[in-house]
Amino acid sequence: MTNTTPLPNDLQAQRDAFHAELQDMSIIPLWLNLGAAAQTEPRVEGVPHIWRWRDIKPMMLRGGALISPQEAERRVLMLINPSFDRKSARTVGMIFGGIQFLMPGETADSHRHSPNAHRFIIEGEGAYTAVEGERTIMRKGDYVTTPAWKWHDHGNDSGQPMAWLDGLDLPFVNLLDANFFEDRAEGDSPQQPIYRQAEDSLHRWGRGMRPTWKEPARTDLSPLLNYRWETCRANLHALRDEVGSPFDGIIMEYTNPLTGRSPLPTISAYLQLLRKGEHTRAHRHTSSTIYHVAEGAGGSLIGGQEYLWEEGDTFVIPSWVAHEHWSTGGEAVLFSYSDRPILKAFGLFREAFAGQEG
Amino acid sequence: MTNTTPLPNDLQAQRDAFHAELQDMSIIPLWLNLGAAAQTEPRVEGVPHIWRWRDIKPMMLRGGALISPQEAERRVLMLINPSFDRKSARTVGMIFGGIQFLMPGETADSHRHSPNAHRFIIEGEGAYTAVEGERTIMRKGDYVTTPAWKWHDHGNDSGQPMAWLDGLDLPFVNLLDANFFEDRAEGDSPQQPIYRQAEDSLHRWGRGMRPTWKEPARTDLSPLLNYRWETCRANLHALRDEVGSPFDGIIMEYTNPLTGRSPLPTISAYLQLLRKGEHTRAHRHTSSTIYHVAEGAGGSLIGGQEYLWEEGDTFVIPSWVAHEHWSTGGEAVLFSYSDRPILKAFGLFREAFAGQEG
Amino acid sequence: MTNTTPLPNDLQAQRDAFHAELQDMSIIPLWLNLGAAAQTEPRVEGVPHIWRWRDIKPMMLRGGALISPQEAERRVLMLINPSFDRKSARTVGMIFGGIQFLMPGETADSHRHSPNAHRFIIEGEGAYTAVEGERTIMRKGDYVTTPAWKWHDHGNDSGQPMAWLDGLDLPFVNLLDANFFEDRAEGDSPQQPIYRQAEDSLHRWGRGMRPTWKEPARTDLSPLLNYRWETCRANLHALRDEVGSPFDGIIMEYTNPLTGRSPLPTISAYLQLLRKGEHTRAHRHTSSTIYHVAEGAGGSLIGGQEYLWEEGDTFVIPSWVAHEHWSTGGEAVLFSYSDRPILKAFGLFREAFAGQEG
Amino acid sequence: MTNTTPLPNDLQAQRDAFHAELQDMSIIPLWLNLGAAAQTEPRVEGVPHIWRWRDIKPMMLRGGALISPQEAERRVLMLINPSFDRKSARTVGMIFGGIQFLMPGETADSHRHSPNAHRFIIEGEGAYTAVEGERTIMRKGDYVTTPAWKWHDHGNDSGQPMAWLDGLDLPFVNLLDANFFEDRAEGDSPQQPIYRQAEDSLHRWGRGMRPTWKEPARTDLSPLLNYRWETCRANLHALRDEVGSPFDGIIMEYTNPLTGRSPLPTISAYLQLLRKGEHTRAHRHTSSTIYHVAEGAGGSLIGGQEYLWEEGDTFVIPSWVAHEHWSTGGEAVLFSYSDRPILKAFGLFREAFAGQEG
Ligand SMILES: [Fe+2]
Ligand SMILES: [Fe+2]
Ligand SMILES: [Fe+2]
Ligand SMILES: [Fe+2]
Ligand SMILES: [Fe+2]
Ligand SMILES: [Fe+2]
Ligand SMILES: [Fe+2]
Ligand SMILES: [Fe+2]
């Protein structure tokens, strides 16, 4: 549309009438909407953002005083990307992050849903998650999975409050119009029956072996309930003398032992060590990531803006926004999760970095 | 939140202040937004809708008089679901449908994009699509693929206008923030060079064999350029004495000969024969479908409402809305495409029908 | 064992006694048998060989006079590699080839077996093979599959004798101790009931589509009954202007439309065009191949020895023996099949050619 | 061939001449060899057999006195099935087992081969295996892999002799004519350079995570060097209260963390606990197994014959031979390995048990 000569009034009027009629028919001419179809590069809707633990924690305590457990049902603070509607449940890309608190004596009743979920423990120790007859007592830094449509419940039998970061593919499942939720049946116990020992799934699937007499129904869902902080951190430390990734340092992905792939089909999760003085190279890629600072402090340059972070903070990097990370004053460990498996499943994952092209 | 006793003014005010402060932090308490997270069944945003050929065609002719080819660039009428924003490019679910007209002598220059595309020919004969050095002359009823990131161009060397239904996974790729588009380089010919004979890909991949000396780079993209109407219709007729699907009659899915799966990784496409007097059983499922009437007439009951259709019409059925089909006055053939591969990739596909449960 | 000094008689005697005792225990010291374990390159047991049609055909006619159909049960001449025992059923590598004649009026009763089988028609026209309720009338050059454990039967209702090359993975299945065979039940008809039309499987699976309401039980077995000579030859001719494979000319592999892989899980089959004057480069690989001359004449240099061939001849090239091919006096078409899928399944396939190394 | 009337001398003579001529042509009539092709059930060549540790160990000590390390190169006693030729290297089915001794100060120089190998430690502690720059100090009960074509070497720096059971797919690779072997290059150190810490592969791949910056070249080969006895035994004990497999008790398969499948593509390996008083049900299947008694004592009924076993013994069960196991005087732990992945890869695995059929 290089012709910018004003149209005769008459023609313009006819066009306006024509377009209005089309709109009434739920038809939009491509020539009025080319941008929606043809984009040189993605127009990313989400923006980078950081939520600081020092801000969140006091709000949650205040919430505890203002809202009773019965009213809250679950004390989750949903982290919603500033550029999205609250109903979208989008923290960034296709994933959701929320901070959940569980006070001493509180429980979350057994239920299941088609979205996949996991949690990364921020503070406290002693609450449990139960899935498929096994209960795991959670501790700071643990990565705990509750895959799609598996019954799960939580409870805090300890004397201290616990806080964790909930991760879900909720925006994705909502956009696909495929979100189902089921509460325990009338009369069932609020907590599922426990018929497995502690660490059962670890021995059953996570230690280099598998029982042969019972296959899991779905292999794309990790059968491991808890990826322990001490183990995962030790893995990172064992590889600390490697060069590692130029973009991420010593970064390891949590894996599903049934397939070697991500624990949840839609969400990949990572733990990464930024060594003392390490500053990674910038890159960008078509996947969106939620980061949580598990240990130490540092900063990230995201889309040209600097974000400094410390233990407990949560921040997001949208698709195709350039980013680099560094540690400050020693080592730092970042937990992160991403919608990358969705993009990879369809050949939509791209990565670029300076010096790569040209 | 069963307690509906009015709160003391004071407490309500404190809560309001608290929630407002949270909102300023881009935090939404789950207790104010439970619906976004926990849904017994999907809350489907899209609605059923039908676009009639007898309405569309005259509008396009009118458009031809009002908008010059240079202004239009491409004469596509985007079918946008009445419940979605025009910028969403969503016809239903994760897929887009648009009616494209190509007048005698018109061309669409070579370009490529990360969304996958296909077209189903509605009217006319003689225009071509070119992909990877092969040109196919298209005819009514052909199903033609232009998979992700492959250069393609169109042109109408015939003396008659052509119309087709464009199908893309555009909403999905947009939502994933992964939409890339590339125009031919400055100085390149608007049409790609043709170095393969007509029907090359058919002989190369589509007739029970494959050349061994050159593997396609991506096996999830169909190497077949054109699935011919006569062949596909003959397939349906060959199976016409089968019972077929209770929900769809004699329904066949187009396949990628490299994998036996859908031609495009995100979109499955179908051709189905509703025999004289056939009326299918109702079912519903978590995938969204765009239907196009290729031959004959009939009707569909969608979410309790009847939609009568005839050749050339296009209609949509959103996820989890019950539907049944019938032919009227003889046989009917429906072409359709769906976002089902996306749901299946992550275990999110569900189907239900009366009598199944209970 | 570089020490070749003769041992004291005494020590040698002690060793001999020791080794004899071990042998009685079914134990062999590795130091007496190093060759069985450590080989720089494969010690291939089979040898190249050619069976000429002009020799085979008269023998079969002679057999017809000497052995009644009742005595013969099936008139198959097993082509056994000169270096293998007849009980091995090994023509070369893990595959078997045999020439089967079916005289007018003769039948082969319905049966099934765990070995996979196919046939390539050498002469005649009009006999049928039936699999899963479909009968195909076979013609010269057709490639017909009867996959593992599927009921099949043959019959010659035509007035002329037919001959074909049977291919099976019989040596492989025998070596794996997994060969099962089942005859039709007492009282069942010798021919299976036919409930599908001619060319049913072609329309159902082989023309770019698949019915959605019924999945085959095993996707690793081709559902296509007959890959027709005219179609397959036309495929080759459509690609004749390509450079093709330096080692094989215009070579195409038959494919299973459910997976894009070989029609039978253990046997890959090929049709290749050697153009007028074409002489391929030498290479060798760890897979064994049975060739049959479908059209024309030419020659092959196999392990340094020249084998000239003409229509109807069958010859074999064992694993890791260098080979090159040429046509003589015009074009030639070779049908071949190989145990390559077995080697590929476990990363055991290797290929080498002059100029590749160093 | 029901007609047993003697043939006229003349006809018999003609037939004999005919058959002799065919044989000279490397052709065997199927009617003389029906058994090789059509078998109701597998004709298994191998036989059950047991090699007792109390017999093997003294022989090895005697060998140590009679054969110098230089002469022996490697002190391996090949366990060859009584019904196979020594050159076959077949212990049972497609797998090999041999007892290797490594005396204090001895080494096995670095080399690689296309057959896959593993070892299970029988006695001693302190020798090492090195693969890909990592050395593992082996202890009784450890399961150690050296996958296809990976450089490996062994050495015994401890003061005590070590003995282990070597397992290879040597018969299979030999039969496929695909056995390659490479010694370290002239001038290279007999031991490969060690550039990884002890237990590196365990942290890198075996503890629920994987580094993202370096993918293994082949995912079908386990990257884990050593599956430790204490861990594996603990896995069994953690599941001891399960019902387990009716045919095998508490049986777990070693897994490749990259895929969840067998550590080596051709060989699956297992550890199984027979609890006090446990006696398993009989079954049979088309896979061949080598068992080694890791702990305790018991017996097996194999093909109707009883074999009693105790710690250190090795026994074999061929394909399709019925078997059941029991412990005696307490618990027993069996290590075993099998060619089952080969059969499963091609749909040739079958299992049967009493009561299943009819
Ligand atoms: Fe939940
Ligand atoms: Fe990144
Ligand atoms: Fe396009
Ligand atoms: Fe439907
Ligand atoms: Fe057969
Ligand atoms: Fe070759
Ligand atoms: Fe070795
Ligand atoms: Fe068994």
Side-chain angles (χ1 to χ4, degrees):
Chain A
M1 279 192 280
T2 51
N3 186 347
T4 54
T5 318
L7 291 167
N9 283 350
D10 189 47
L11 180 55
Q12 185 62 59
Q14 284 182 53
R15 285 188 181 183
D16 291 348
F18 175 55
H19 293 146
E21 271 184 66
L22 283 172
Q23 185 147 359
D24 288 348
M25 294 165 68
S26 292
I27 291 177
I28 306 296
L30 181 66
W31 56 86
L32 296 186
N33 199 24
L34 262 178
Q39 317 180 351
T40 304
E41 294 207 337
R43 297 200 202 167
V44 181
E45 279 190 81
V47 293
H49 195 76
I50 187 165
W51 292 265
R52 300 184 186 284
W53 185 238
R54 64 174 179 258
D55 297 332
I56 292 175
K57 193 170 176 185
M59 289 308 271
M60 191 40 97
L61 297 175
R62 206 165 127 199
L66 288 172
I67 322 278
S68 74
Q70 291 71 30
E71 285 173 307
E73 195 158 309
R74 251 161 261 169
R75 298 186 181 282
V76 177
L77 295 181
M78 302 173 75
L79 310 180
I80 303 300
N81 196 287
S83 65
F84 288 123
D85 184 86
R86 64 153 70 181
K87 287 194 194 305
S88 72
R90 295 178 74 175
T91 307
V92 75
M94 290 292 144
I95 45 178
F96 163 83
I99 309 289
Q100 183 160 5
F101 284 72
L102 203 61
M103 297 299 155
E106 286 185 358
T107 58
D109 293 353
S110 186
H111 64 282
R112 61 180 182 171
H113 36 69
S114 48
N116 290 282
H118 65 221
R119 67 216 76 252
F120 185 83
I121 311 308
I122 301 176
E123 264 194 16
E125 173 172 337
Y128 66 82
T129 289
V131 177
E132 297 205 320
E134 179 185 345
R135 261 192 196 177
T136 187
I137 303 296
M138 303 182 287
R139 298 191 292 262
K140 185 174 187 302
D142 288 356
Y143 170 69
V144 177
T145 66
T146 51
W149 212 238
K150 300 208 175 185
W151 291 102
H152 56 283
D153 56 81
H154 314 287
N156 189 348
D157 296 338
S158 82
Q160 50 178 311
M162 274 197 74
W164 62 68
L165 173 64
D166 273 324
L168 287 97
D169 56 9
L170 185 59
F172 184 61
V173 178
N174 276 346
L175 282 164
L176 286 176
D177 297 321
N179 191 352
F180 293 84
F181 179 95
E182 195 175 355
D183 257 322
R184 66 196 175 89
E186 194 69 35
D188 274 4
S189 153
Q191 269 78 48
Q192 64 180 280
I194 299 307
Y195 52 89
R196 298 200 191 282
Q197 297 178 27
E199 313 299 352
D200 177 279
S201 66
L202 184 67
H203 283 291
R204 192 177 294 265
W205 302 107
R207 285 289 176 256
M209 303 183 97
R210 66 175 191 94
T212 67
W213 62 85
K214 186 129 196 301
E215 305 277 346
R218 281 181 63 180
T219 58
D220 61 341
L221 306 179
S222 178
L224 294 186
L225 181 49
N226 195 340
Y227 296 73
R228 290 286 180 198
W229 169 249
E230 313 90 72
T231 304
C232 296
R233 191 173 182 273
N235 290 342
L236 289 183
H237 283 273
L239 304 190
R240 65 181 314 140
D241 295 331
E242 296 267 307
V243 172
S245 157
F247 310 110
D248 285 300
I250 299 300
I251 182 164
M252 297 185 79
E253 185 177 351
Y254 297 90
T255 54
N256 172 356
L258 302 176
T259 61
R261 305 181 67 171
S262 57
L264 305 174
T266 45
I267 311 178
S268 51
Y270 309 86
L271 202 65
Q272 83 190 84
L273 174 68
L274 296 169
R275 289 156 294 191
K276 190 173 159 58
E278 183 160 15
H279 188 133
T280 65
R281 279 184 67 186
H283 75 154
R284 58 182 181 160
H285 40 72
T286 55
S287 60
S288 300
T289 313
I290 298 177
Y291 288 86
H292 179 80
V293 186
E295 197 174 45
S300 301
L301 190 68
I302 307 173
Q305 186 175 338
E306 194 178 86
Y307 294 80
L308 300 180
W309 38 255
E310 59 185 22
E311 201 174 305
D313 292 351
T314 301
F315 61 97
V316 297
I317 304 182
S319 174
W320 211 238
V321 176
H323 53 280
E324 54 193 84
H325 309 292
W326 60 90
S327 58
T328 304
E331 294 196 336
V333 176
L334 295 173
F335 167 77
S336 63
Y337 59 103
S338 158
D339 54 11
R340 187 172 301 194
I342 301 172
L343 289 120
K344 289 223 163 177
F346 303 108
L348 293 165
F349 182 72
R350 280 202 196 193
E351 187 183 10
F353 49 90
Q356 178 190 37
E357 296 147 307
Chain B
M1 279 191 278
T2 50
N3 186 346
T4 55
T5 318
L7 291 167
N9 284 349
D10 188 46
L11 179 55
Q12 185 62 58
Q14 284 181 53
R15 284 186 180 185
D16 291 347
F18 175 57
H19 293 147
E21 271 184 67
L22 283 172
Q23 185 145 358
D24 289 347
M25 295 165 67
S26 291
I27 292 176
I28 307 296
L30 181 66
W31 54 87
L32 296 187
N33 197 23
L34 262 178
Q39 316 180 351
T40 304
E41 294 206 338
R43 296 195 204 172
V44 181
E45 278 191 82
V47 293
H49 194 76
I50 187 165
W51 292 266
R52 299 184 187 283
W53 186 238
R54 63 174 181 258
D55 297 332
I56 292 175
K57 195 172 174 184
M59 289 307 270
M60 192 39 98
L61 297 175
R62 204 167 129 198
L66 288 172
I67 321 277
S68 73
Q70 290 71 29
E71 285 173 308
E73 196 159 311
R74 252 161 258 168
R75 299 187 181 282
V76 177
L77 294 181
M78 303 174 73
L79 311 179
I80 303 299
N81 197 288
S83 66
F84 288 122
D85 183 85
R86 64 152 72 181
K87 287 193 194 306
S88 73
R90 296 178 73 175
T91 307
V92 74
M94 290 292 142
I95 45 177
F96 164 82
I99 309 290
Q100 183 160 3
F101 283 73
L102 202 61
M103 297 299 154
E106 286 185 356
T107 58
D109 294 352
S110 184
H111 64 281
R112 60 180 183 173
H113 35 68
S114 48
N116 289 283
H118 65 221
R119 67 215 75 253
F120 186 82
I121 313 306
I122 301 176
E123 261 195 18
E125 174 173 337
Y128 65 82
T129 289
V131 178
E132 298 204 318
E134 179 184 346
R135 263 192 194 174
T136 188
I137 304 295
M138 302 181 288
R139 300 191 291 262
K140 184 173 188 302
D142 288 356
Y143 170 69
V144 177
T145 65
T146 50
W149 211 239
K150 300 209 177 186
W151 292 103
H152 56 283
D153 57 82
H154 314 287
N156 190 349
D157 298 338
S158 81
Q160 50 178 312
M162 276 197 72
W164 62 69
L165 174 64
D166 274 323
L168 286 97
D169 56 8
L170 186 58
F172 184 60
V173 178
N174 276 345
L175 283 164
L176 286 177
D177 296 321
N179 192 353
F180 294 84
F181 179 94
E182 194 175 356
D183 257 321
R184 64 193 176 92
E186 193 71 34
D188 274 5
S189 153
Q191 268 77 49
Q192 63 180 280
I194 300 306
Y195 52 89
R196 298 198 191 282
Q197 296 176 29
E199 313 300 351
D200 177 280
S201 66
L202 184 67
H203 283 291
R204 195 178 291 268
W205 302 108
R207 284 291 177 256
M209 302 183 98
R210 66 175 190 95
T212 67
W213 63 86
K214 187 129 196 302
E215 306 276 346
R218 280 181 62 179
T219 59
D220 61 342
L221 306 179
S222 178
L224 294 186
L225 179 51
N226 195 340
Y227 296 73
R228 290 281 181 203
W229 169 248
E230 313 88 75
T231 305
C232 297
R233 190 172 183 271
N235 290 341
L236 289 183
H237 283 272
L239 304 190
R240 67 182 311 139
D241 294 332
E242 296 266 306
V243 173
S245 157
F247 310 110
D248 285 299
I250 301 298
I251 183 165
M252 297 185 78
E253 185 177 351
Y254 297 90
T255 53
N256 172 356
L258 303 177
T259 61
R261 309 180 66 172
S262 57
L264 305 173
T266 46
I267 311 178
S268 50
Y270 309 87
L271 202 65
Q272 83 190 84
L273 174 69
L274 296 169
R275 289 157 293 192
K276 191 173 158 58
E278 183 160 15
H279 188 134
T280 65
R281 281 185 65 187
H283 75 155
R284 58 180 181 161
H285 38 73
T286 54
S287 60
S288 300
T289 312
I290 298 176
Y291 288 86
H292 179 80
V293 186
E295 198 174 44
S300 300
L301 191 68
I302 306 173
Q305 186 174 340
E306 194 177 85
Y307 294 81
L308 300 181
W309 36 256
E310 60 186 19
E311 200 174 306
D313 292 351
T314 301
F315 61 97
V316 297
I317 305 181
S319 174
W320 212 236
V321 175
H323 53 278
E324 55 194 85
H325 310 292
W326 60 91
S327 57
T328 305
E331 294 196 338
V333 175
L334 294 173
F335 167 78
S336 62
Y337 59 102
S338 157
D339 54 9
R340 189 175 298 194
I342 302 172
L343 290 119
K344 288 223 163 175
F346 304 108
L348 292 166
F349 182 72
R350 281 201 196 194
E351 187 183 9
F353 48 90
Q356 176 190 39
E357 297 148 306
Chain C
M1 279 193 278
T2 51
N3 185 348
T4 56
T5 318
L7 290 165
N9 285 349
D10 189 46
L11 180 55
Q12 185 62 59
Q14 284 181 52
R15 286 186 181 185
D16 290 348
F18 174 57
H19 292 147
E21 271 185 68
L22 282 172
Q23 186 147 358
D24 289 348
M25 293 164 69
S26 291
I27 291 177
I28 306 297
L30 180 66
W31 55 86
L32 296 186
N33 198 25
L34 263 178
Q39 316 180 353
T40 304
E41 293 206 339
R43 297 198 202 168
V44 181
E45 278 191 82
V47 293
H49 194 75
I50 187 166
W51 291 266
R52 298 185 186 284
W53 186 238
R54 62 173 182 259
D55 297 332
I56 292 175
K57 193 170 176 186
M59 289 307 272
M60 192 39 100
L61 297 175
R62 205 166 130 196
L66 286 172
I67 320 278
S68 73
Q70 292 70 31
E71 285 172 307
E73 193 156 313
R74 252 161 261 171
R75 297 187 183 282
V76 177
L77 295 181
M78 303 171 75
L79 310 180
I80 303 300
N81 196 288
S83 66
F84 288 123
D85 184 85
R86 65 153 71 180
K87 287 192 194 308
S88 73
R90 295 177 74 175
T91 307
V92 74
M94 290 293 143
I95 45 178
F96 163 83
I99 309 290
Q100 183 159 4
F101 284 72
L102 203 62
M103 297 300 156
E106 287 185 357
T107 58
D109 293 354
S110 185
H111 64 283
R112 61 179 181 170
H113 34 70
S114 47
N116 289 283
H118 65 221
R119 67 216 74 252
F120 186 82
I121 312 308
I122 302 175
E123 263 194 16
E125 173 171 338
Y128 66 81
T129 289
V131 177
E132 297 205 321
E134 179 185 344
R135 263 192 195 176
T136 188
I137 304 295
M138 301 180 289
R139 301 190 292 261
K140 184 172 188 303
D142 287 356
Y143 170 71
V144 177
T145 65
T146 50
W149 212 238
K150 299 209 176 184
W151 292 102
H152 56 283
D153 57 81
H154 314 288
N156 189 349
D157 297 339
S158 82
Q160 50 178 314
M162 274 196 74
W164 62 67
L165 173 64
D166 273 326
L168 287 97
D169 57 7
L170 186 58
F172 184 62
V173 179
N174 275 346
L175 283 165
L176 286 178
D177 297 321
N179 192 352
F180 293 83
F181 180 95
E182 195 175 356
D183 257 322
R184 65 196 175 89
E186 195 70 36
D188 273 3
S189 154
Q191 268 76 48
Q192 63 181 281
I194 300 305
Y195 52 89
R196 298 199 191 280
Q197 297 177 29
E199 314 299 351
D200 177 279
S201 66
L202 184 68
H203 283 292
R204 193 177 293 267
W205 301 107
R207 285 290 175 255
M209 301 184 97
R210 66 176 192 92
T212 66
W213 62 86
K214 185 129 196 301
E215 306 277 346
R218 279 181 63 180
T219 59
D220 61 341
L221 307 179
S222 178
L224 294 187
L225 180 50
N226 195 341
Y227 296 72
R228 291 284 181 198
W229 169 248
E230 314 88 74
T231 305
C232 296
R233 190 173 182 271
N235 290 342
L236 290 183
H237 283 273
L239 304 190
R240 65 181 313 139
D241 294 331
E242 296 266 308
V243 173
S245 158
F247 310 111
D248 286 299
I250 300 299
I251 183 165
M252 296 186 80
E253 185 177 352
Y254 297 90
T255 53
N256 172 355
L258 302 177
T259 61
R261 308 181 65 171
S262 57
L264 306 173
T266 47
I267 311 179
S268 51
Y270 309 86
L271 202 63
Q272 83 190 85
L273 174 69
L274 296 169
R275 289 156 292 190
K276 189 171 159 62
E278 182 160 15
H279 188 132
T280 64
R281 280 184 66 185
H283 75 155
R284 58 181 180 162
H285 39 71
T286 54
S287 60
S288 300
T289 313
I290 298 177
Y291 288 85
H292 179 80
V293 186
E295 196 174 46
S300 301
L301 190 69
I302 307 173
Q305 187 175 338
E306 194 177 85
Y307 294 81
L308 299 180
W309 36 257
E310 58 184 22
E311 200 174 306
D313 292 350
T314 302
F315 61 97
V316 297
I317 303 181
S319 174
W320 211 235
V321 176
H323 53 279
E324 55 194 84
H325 310 292
W326 61 91
S327 57
T328 305
E331 293 196 338
V333 175
L334 294 173
F335 167 77
S336 62
Y337 58 103
S338 157
D339 54 9
R340 188 174 298 194
I342 302 172
L343 290 120
K344 288 223 163 177
F346 303 109
L348 293 165
F349 181 72
R350 279 201 198 194
E351 186 182 11
F353 49 90
Q356 177 189 39
E357 296 148 309
Chain D
M1 281 191 279
T2 51
N3 184 347
T4 55
T5 318
L7 291 166
N9 284 350
D10 190 45
L11 180 54
Q12 184 62 59
Q14 284 182 52
R15 285 188 181 183
D16 290 348
F18 175 57
H19 292 147
E21 271 183 66
L22 282 173
Q23 184 146 0
D24 289 347
M25 294 166 66
S26 292
I27 291 178
I28 306 297
L30 181 66
W31 55 87
L32 296 185
N33 198 24
L34 262 178
Q39 316 180 353
T40 305
E41 293 206 339
R43 298 197 203 168
V44 181
E45 278 191 80
V47 293
H49 194 75
I50 187 166
W51 293 266
R52 298 185 188 282
W53 185 238
R54 63 173 181 259
D55 297 333
I56 291 175
K57 194 172 176 185
M59 290 306 271
M60 192 39 100
L61 297 175
R62 206 167 126 197
L66 288 172
I67 320 276
S68 74
Q70 290 72 31
E71 285 173 307
E73 195 158 309
R74 252 160 259 169
R75 299 185 180 282
V76 176
L77 295 181
M78 301 172 75
L79 310 179
I80 303 300
N81 197 288
S83 66
F84 287 122
D85 182 85
R86 62 153 73 180
K87 287 193 195 304
S88 72
R90 294 178 74 176
T91 306
V92 75
M94 290 292 143
I95 45 177
F96 164 83
I99 309 290
Q100 182 160 3
F101 283 73
L102 203 63
M103 296 299 153
E106 286 185 356
T107 58
D109 293 353
S110 184
H111 65 281
R112 62 180 182 171
H113 36 68
S114 48
N116 290 283
H118 64 222
R119 65 216 76 253
F120 186 82
I121 312 307
I122 302 176
E123 261 194 19
E125 173 173 338
Y128 66 82
T129 289
V131 177
E132 298 206 318
E134 179 184 344
R135 264 191 192 174
T136 187
I137 303 297
M138 302 181 288
R139 300 191 290 262
K140 184 174 189 301
D142 287 356
Y143 170 69
V144 177
T145 64
T146 52
W149 211 240
K150 299 209 176 184
W151 293 103
H152 54 284
D153 57 81
H154 313 288
N156 189 348
D157 297 338
S158 82
Q160 50 177 313
M162 275 196 72
W164 62 68
L165 173 64
D166 273 326
L168 286 97
D169 56 9
L170 186 58
F172 183 62
V173 179
N174 276 344
L175 283 163
L176 286 177
D177 296 321
N179 191 352
F180 294 83
F181 180 95
E182 195 175 354
D183 256 321
R184 64 193 175 93
E186 194 70 35
D188 274 5
S189 153
Q191 269 77 48
Q192 63 180 279
I194 300 306
Y195 53 88
R196 297 199 191 283
Q197 297 178 26
E199 314 299 352
D200 177 280
S201 66
L202 184 67
H203 283 291
R204 194 177 293 267
W205 302 107
R207 285 290 177 259
M209 302 182 100
R210 66 175 191 94
T212 65
W213 63 85
K214 186 128 194 304
E215 305 278 344
R218 281 181 60 179
T219 59
D220 61 341
L221 306 179
S222 178
L224 294 187
L225 180 50
N226 195 340
Y227 296 74
R228 292 283 181 200
W229 169 249
E230 313 89 73
T231 305
C232 296
R233 189 173 184 271
N235 290 342
L236 290 182
H237 283 274
L239 304 190
R240 67 180 313 140
D241 294 331
E242 296 268 306
V243 173
S245 158
F247 310 111
D248 285 300
I250 299 300
I251 183 166
M252 296 184 81
E253 185 177 353
Y254 296 90
T255 53
N256 172 356
L258 302 177
T259 61
R261 308 181 65 171
S262 58
L264 305 173
T266 47
I267 312 178
S268 51
Y270 309 86
L271 202 65
Q272 83 190 85
L273 173 69
L274 296 169
R275 289 155 293 190
K276 190 171 159 60
E278 183 159 15
H279 187 133
T280 66
R281 280 185 65 187
H283 76 155
R284 58 181 181 160
H285 40 73
T286 55
S287 60
S288 300
T289 314
I290 298 177
Y291 288 85
H292 179 81
V293 186
E295 197 174 45
S300 301
L301 191 69
I302 307 173
Q305 187 175 339
E306 192 178 86
Y307 294 81
L308 300 180
W309 37 257
E310 59 184 22
E311 199 174 307
D313 293 350
T314 301
F315 62 97
V316 296
I317 305 181
S319 174
W320 212 236
V321 175
H323 53 277
E324 54 193 84
H325 310 291
W326 61 90
S327 57
T328 306
E331 294 195 338
V333 176
L334 294 173
F335 168 77
S336 62
Y337 60 103
S338 157
D339 54 11
R340 186 173 301 194
I342 302 172
L343 290 120
K344 289 223 163 177
F346 303 109
L348 293 164
F349 182 73
R350 278 203 198 193
E351 187 183 10
F353 49 90
Q356 177 191 38
E357 296 148 308

